[in-house]
Amino acid sequence: MDFSSIGIVLLGSTFGLILRIFIQDNFTIKIGFDIQNTSLVNFIASFLLGILVPLNFFSNYFLLFYAGFLGSFSTFSSFIYQLFILFKKRRYLSLIFHYTEVMIISFILFYFGYFISRIFK
C-alpha cells in the first residue's frame, strides 16, 4: 500500500467518524421500542454497503468508501460493547433481542440496498 492509498483511507475514515458522531449525538428513533444510536449507524452502514457491493469497483474509490468511510462509520466494537453491558447487567433477554434486532435489520437493509443498486445498475 502506498502513501496515496493511506491518505485516501484516512480521508474516508475522517468523514465516516464525523458523521457517526453526529448521528450518535443527535438522532433517536422510536418504533415501538428504542433503537440505540449505534444500531442506527450500523443500519445506515449496512444499507450503504448493500448499494456499493454490486458496483464491484476496485480503485481509490474502493479505499475511500469501503475501507475508509464505511470502516470508520460502522461501529462493530460499539455494538459488542453494548452487548457486553447487557450481559454484565444480566439482562439476557434484552441481549438476545438486541443482537437479533441488529443482525436481522442490518441484513434486510443490506439486501434492500443491494436490490436497489442492482435495479439501477
Side-chain angles (χ1 to χ4, degrees):
M1 182 177 277
D2 59 1
F3 285 114
S4 65
S5 298
I6 293 170
I8 290 170
V9 171
L10 287 173
L11 180 67
S13 63
T14 300
F15 287 115
L17 175 64
I18 290 168
L19 185 59
R20 173 171 43 116
I21 290 171
F22 177 77
I23 289 173
Q24 285 180 332
D25 290 346
N26 294 307
F27 292 98
T28 303
I29 292 181
K30 289 186 177 188
I31 51 172
F33 53 90
D34 290 335
I35 294 179
Q36 296 180 0
N37 292 355
T38 302
S39 299
L40 179 63
V41 168
N42 287 334
F43 297 154
I44 294 168
S46 295
F47 178 71
L48 292 174
L49 186 61
I51 289 173
L52 294 175
V53 164
L55 300 177
N56 200 22
F57 58 87
F58 295 96
S59 65
N60 287 340
Y61 297 117
F62 172 81
L63 291 173
L64 181 70
F65 292 114
Y66 285 105
F69 181 79
L70 288 177
S72 182
F73 181 67
S74 63
T75 56
F76 182 73
S77 59
S78 296
F79 169 62
I80 296 301
Y81 178 71
Q82 288 174 341
L83 294 177
F84 176 73
I85 294 300
L86 291 172
F87 181 78
K88 208 165 118 176
K89 291 180 179 178
R90 297 180 182 205
R91 296 182 56 199
Y92 303 117
L93 192 57
S94 294
L95 183 146
I96 291 169
F97 180 74
H98 181 64
Y99 175 81
T100 306
E101 162 202 24
V102 170
M103 289 297 137
I104 290 173
I105 293 173
S106 292
F107 181 77
I108 289 169
L109 287 171
F110 176 88
Y111 184 75
F112 184 63
Y114 182 83
F115 181 74
I116 288 173
S117 187
R118 296 282 296 181
I119 288 174
F120 292 109
K121 184 176 178 185

